[in-house]
Amino acid sequence: MLLGSIAIVGQATQRIGFMIGFAPLGPLSLPVLLFTLIAHDLWSRRRIHPATLWGIAVLMVSLVLTPVVARSPIGSAVMERLYATGR
Amino acid sequence: MSALLIALVFVGFARTLFLRSSFGTLDPALGTPQMPWHLYLHGGLLTTWFVLLLVQTTLVASHRTDLHRGLGVLGGVVAVLVVVVGVWTVIASIPRNVLAGIDETGRRINLFGNLATLIVFILCIGRALVLRRQPDSTGV
């Protein structure tokens, strides 16, 4: 639940970044929150919780794959299709 | 940590959702103070989600795992609604971003970034729901 929430809080930190004139806050907030979670795990249980490791792995894979898919021909096709749906 | 997340949500969306009339915020696509109703629904569901996160982590911290598990059902329902309305919002945002004057690159980043976020959310929450009967398996 916490990792899913960290995944979706980026829209909020991005807006705060624009509000205070520090646009990198959005992308920087994800690693900062994940390191905070790791530190919390280590402090409270002396090891990183498996759910934390799993969530970090999923987030890292999505960060690598998202720009690749976005720039691909499949990404263009998806965008056109969804644009027609959203109108 | 959950209190920090809810604070980030409130501050981040103060101008465009929570205090939008105080700030006199205009919808970037419509140019009006009102935004489409599905965005209020989207904001309301996500606010519910983050409040639920705070409640759930507080329950675990106070060893009320019975209530925590009971509320987990509600969490599952809210999570499904977050995803359904989230996908709807992402799709509806494409023509809205055109109207708001966002360029092609920006629209792509917005679309695929938001879809990836929703996929990660589904995977994290799905894992937590599948493993919910195993003690100490979800990390909350």
Side-chain angles (χ1 to χ4, degrees):
Chain A
M1 194 172 187
L2 190 54
L3 279 154
S5 304
I6 289 174
I8 59 176
V9 86
Q11 286 286 350
T13 55
Q14 191 180 27
R15 280 166 171 77
I16 295 171
F18 287 131
M19 228 185 286
I20 62 173
F22 184 63
L25 183 71
L28 279 177
S29 65
L30 181 63
V32 169
L33 288 169
L34 291 177
F35 278 121
T36 307
L37 185 56
I38 289 170
H40 174 267
D41 278 2
L42 291 173
W43 175 73
S44 61
R45 56 176 61 228
R46 305 260 177 249
R47 66 184 176 89
I48 302 172
H49 195 287
T52 304
L53 287 174
W54 190 88
I56 289 172
V58 170
L59 278 163
M60 292 302 120
V61 170
S62 84
L63 286 177
V64 172
L65 285 183
T66 301
V68 175
V69 173
R71 291 193 192 104
S72 70
I74 294 171
S76 299
V78 168
M79 183 134 175
E80 280 172 27
R81 180 87 179 102
L82 292 181
Y83 177 69
T85 308
R87 266 196 303 187
Chain B
M1 185 98 187
S2 50
L4 169 67
L5 293 182
I6 208 165
L8 289 172
V9 168
F10 182 76
V11 175
F13 287 96
R15 192 179 287 268
T16 54
L17 181 66
F18 299 111
L19 303 172
R20 94 179 256 118
S21 56
S22 305
F23 281 102
T25 307
L26 298 178
D27 183 90
L30 303 174
T32 61
Q34 286 79 35
M35 58 182 183
W37 68 271
H38 74 269
L39 292 180
Y40 291 103
L41 178 63
H42 177 59
L45 280 168
L46 281 162
T47 304
T48 306
W49 174 262
F50 280 97
V51 170
L52 205 53
L53 171 72
L54 184 61
V55 171
Q56 288 286 58
T57 48
T58 306
L59 286 172
V60 171
S62 53
H63 307 289
R64 295 301 310 271
T65 47
D66 51 335
L67 275 176
H68 170 70
R69 288 209 175 89
L71 264 182
V73 177
L74 176 63
V77 172
V78 175
V80 169
L81 291 172
V82 162
V83 171
V84 171
V85 177
V87 170
W88 175 14
T89 302
V90 169
I91 292 172
S93 75
I94 307 171
R96 281 176 53 75
N97 288 343
V98 174
L99 287 172
I102 297 173
D103 64 10
E104 165 79 16
T105 308
R107 293 200 300 271
R108 272 181 193 250
I109 291 169
N110 191 289
L111 171 67
F112 289 99
N114 286 333
L115 286 178
T117 295
L118 281 172
I119 290 168
V120 172
F121 179 80
I122 292 168
L123 291 172
C124 289
I125 304 306
R127 180 187 185 276
L129 288 172
V130 167
L131 299 178
R132 70 189 182 281
R133 296 199 191 284
Q134 294 179 22
D136 195 30
S137 61
T138 65
V140 183

